[in-house]
Amino acid sequence: MSTLAAGKINGAQAIIACLELENVDTVFSYPGGAVLSIFEALRESKQIKNVLTRTEQGATHAASGYARASAGAKAGVCIATSGPGATNLVTGLATAYMDSIPLVAITGQVSTAMIGTDAFQEIDITGITRPIVKHSYLVTNVNDLPQVIKEAFYLATTGRPGPVLIDVPKNVADSICKAEIPGRIDLPGYKPTFKGHRLKIQNACKLLQEAKKPLIYAGGGVVSAGAEELLQNLAHRLDAPVAVTLMGKAAYPFRDGYFIGMLGIHGAPAANLAVSECDVLLAIGARFDDRVTANVAEFAKEARIIHVDVDPAEIGKNVTSEVPIVGDAAAIIEVMLEFLDPAEHTAWRAKIESWRPLHSDVYEKANTGGQLHFREVIAELNRQTKGKAIVTTDVGQHQMVAAQFYQARHRGGFISSGGLGTMGYGFPAAVGAQLAARGEQVVCITGDGSFQMTMNELATAKAHNLPIKVILSNNSNLGMVRQLQKYYVQGNYFGIDLEGNPDFAKIAEAYDMAYFRLERPEDIETTLQAALAGNRLTLVECLIAKEEMVFPMVLNGTRLTDMVVAD
Amino acid sequence: MKHILNVLVQDRSGVLVRVAGLFSRRGYNINSLTVGSTENPGVSCMTIVVEGDDRIIEQVTKQLHKVVEVLKINDVTKEEYVGRELLMLKVLANKEDRVEIMHLCEIFRIKIVDINKKSFIIEATGTHSKLDAVEQAFRPFGIQKMSRTGIIAMVRGDKG
């Protein structure tokens, strides 16, 4: 297999040729001295579009949004220079690591002879990022590059996906590469299990068949496996409702009555009550994260637990399961469907239905007349888009409101930083998502705190004519921290007032955006209609009261059933 | 409980930090770590002594398996095994003590590998407790320097 012009190209050209062979069509990058020759090779590529972000952190988040909007099939790629370029990747890599998003990050490095001398813009980036990548390489021999890049994409996208970093010293990129791309990947220590153990799956099915009150708890693993339809078949076969995690928000994009919402400390009451009462819990591609379980000792206490995950280390990490199954969510559900007979759980499902209205109940009580509530904006967004927009969020109250009121109906259509909770993720992720899905409506739901962390990427969106719709909850303070201070430090509010906020109308003007200000509940419908209809980069600024809270809320150390539902 | 893990790894740069870093990052304590070559070129064996209950050891093992270069992990404490450590110590050897020190070495079946005007270097291999005993026995003479390795271990018979 001769695919590289081996012996005629340098390392940088080999990198770009390898990216092309991995079907990369977009890279998010920021240039610098140590990656000059990589950019020189990139310039010549006809296949790869280069997107210059405004910081390297933006490049990682954009690559993440790009990967997720491509529904996990593709790795996002970002390129940064050595030193500060590389350190700016750290938050983005950690975000991708915690959420198992496939990324390949390429960094420049000082020449091999200079490594260790504290040279200009030298940093040990493989050392810094070791705990937050799935794997990393410091390439010291140019002839290793083709193999390294092939391995990197394989590692990033298979098993439990994650970020892989490739650090390339300047002289390595400049040297002539004589190696070809190896025909196959030889990683004897890396053997992700794709297919589950049949006998265990059979045992799980037996348990599910005996269940009187079964519940499915679906996480990000379902989304990255592309197992949405299979999950629907499973829910129907078992007559079991489906609760999801934040990462699994788009795991059940169907309107068929089985979806009961998100679990967790800001989860839907129906989901939290159902998990506390179910007798068999089938966790698929979820990891019993503390934001989901609250007090883990009390979580799903009545249930016998079946835990399906592609990462063996997740099994038994936070809870002990009766039937652990390691493997890809899609492959395992497929086998389950072979074994399972149709079941009916009319009484159980009716009981859950009776819990559903609790949600709006809470808000009826909390509602004050005439005031604009962000949840109403998101509920209307959900109505108008029918959940078919690709939504990205930042982190904070608006994120939980989005998770509660936006019902994602688009594959991979809910893009949020779940594990790390990275403020500043939303907008750059929207840039990546819009570039991956040009024809789709991409909406970034954000808050005034988060947005200001990375709104420099508005320039990237402007440069590429991306018609992203930003829906900004502006409550002039850090609302989620306010909420925490209210409950955990007796309302001693401190360090959360965002005084000095810019005039967002002027920000919009500066970036040539369409701008809408939303102050009154009666204007929500028409404003959103106008905003969503446009084909421009758009900002909808919603003026929200400081005091607005997100309910329900489960306080630290308590059970999911102990939801605080109003002030 | 103490577990001795024999971890076979591909001999690539960075693998030691990856493994060691994993322990500190996940909050596991390493009692000792020894690395050396094996009968297979390109494959090293890390012998890691870690303390913890079965649940922790299971997690350690699973997390170690996620390191791309890790090929095989064997918890030798689950089997019949032979484990050895190496100790070297420089002990003060005054004229009046020399005979007694040599006598002690015979009893422990350990070797004097360097003789100096004032001191001996003594080399000992054995189990952890034997080497503890050696250390105790020579302490009264005055230990000037001591260095001990971690354990390396091998399962008896055909297994492991």
Side-chain angles (χ1 to χ4, degrees), chain B:
Chain B
M1 177 183 162
K2 256 187 207 167
H3 290 255
I4 303 167
L5 306 179
N6 273 350
V7 183
L8 294 179
V9 298
Q10 271 179 299
D11 193 7
R12 289 196 188 172
S13 72
V15 58
L16 176 62
V17 249
R18 251 191 267 278
V19 168
L22 188 144
F23 279 81
S24 64
R25 177 160 71 94
R26 298 271 174 191
Y28 313 132
N29 282 321
I30 300 182
N31 285 7
S32 75
L33 171 71
T34 310
V35 194
S37 55
T38 67
E39 73 281 9
N40 294 319
V43 176
S44 299
C45 181
M46 293 186 174
T47 306
I48 303 171
V49 180
V50 56
E51 225 161 314
D53 57 24
D54 287 350
R55 227 190 108 242
I56 288 177
I57 300 303
E58 190 189 327
Q59 260 298 306
V60 168
T61 308
K62 284 173 169 177
Q63 295 294 349
L64 279 171
H65 267 302
K66 286 171 72 170
V67 176
V68 169
E69 293 96 343
V70 169
L71 302 170
K72 198 178 168 199
I73 301 165
N74 189 12
D75 183 351
V76 301
T77 17
K78 283 186 179 159
E79 323 268 349
E80 283 286 315
Y81 71 94
V82 183
R84 292 290 182 269
E85 293 172 26
L86 171 67
L87 168 150
M88 289 173 82
L89 56 81
K90 192 176 277 180
V91 64
L92 277 181
N94 300 323
K95 247 183 191 162
E96 56 273 27
D97 290 336
R98 289 194 171 213
V99 175
E100 196 183 346
I101 289 173
M102 286 159 72
H103 200 65
L104 272 176
C105 287
E106 260 170 56
I107 294 171
F108 278 113
R109 280 180 288 171
I110 58 182
K111 284 188 281 185
I112 296 167
V113 290
D114 185 60
I115 294 176
N116 196 294
K117 264 189 195 155
K118 286 185 183 155
S119 65
F120 291 167
I121 294 178
I122 292 167
E123 170 203 299
T125 58
T127 61
H128 193 79
S129 57
K130 175 181 170 178
L131 298 191
D132 281 350
V134 170
E135 191 187 327
Q136 285 307 319
F138 287 93
R139 198 168 285 284
F141 303 104
I143 295 176
Q144 283 187 311
K145 275 204 174 72
M146 187 184 82
S147 184
R148 285 176 72 161
T149 66
I151 193 169
I152 58 170
M154 214 171 260
V155 173
R156 291 180 191 273
D158 296 335
K159 280 186 136 188

Side-chain angles (χ1 to χ4, degrees), chain A residues 345-365:
Chain A
H345 301 287
T346 321
W348 168 235
R349 291 203 50 213
K351 189 165 194 186
I352 290 171
E353 285 309 309
S354 75
W355 291 327
R356 255 193 221 268
L358 282 179
H359 210 283
S360 45
D361 236 26
V362 171
Y363 287 113
E364 295 297 303
K365 278 181 221 150

Side-chain angles (χ1 to χ4, degrees), chain A residues 255 359-360 363 367 372-388 391 398 400-407 443 445 471 518 524-525 528 532 542 548:
Chain A
R255 286 172 195 264
H359 210 283
S360 45
Y363 287 113
N367 246 345
L372 181 69
H373 297 294
F374 198 58
R375 56 182 176 269
E376 288 161 4
V377 179
I378 301 304
E380 180 60 22
L381 173 74
N382 188 49
R383 260 192 298 279
Q384 290 191 15
T385 60
K386 300 187 176 66
K388 286 182 177 155
V391 159
H398 72 272
M400 291 298 109
V401 170
Q404 291 173 343
F405 289 88
Y406 188 80
Q407 305 312 325
V443 178
I445 299 173
I471 302 193
L518 191 45
I524 297 175
E525 192 181 341
L528 281 186
L532 293 171
C542 308
E548 181 131 314

Side-chain angles (χ1 to χ4, degrees), chain A residues 279-300:
Chain A
D279 64 353
V280 174
L281 181 69
L282 171 58
I284 309 179
R287 58 187 177 93
F288 297 85
D289 172 78
D290 56 283
R291 299 289 100 167
V292 161
T293 62
N295 182 347
V296 69
E298 300 285 336
F299 182 75

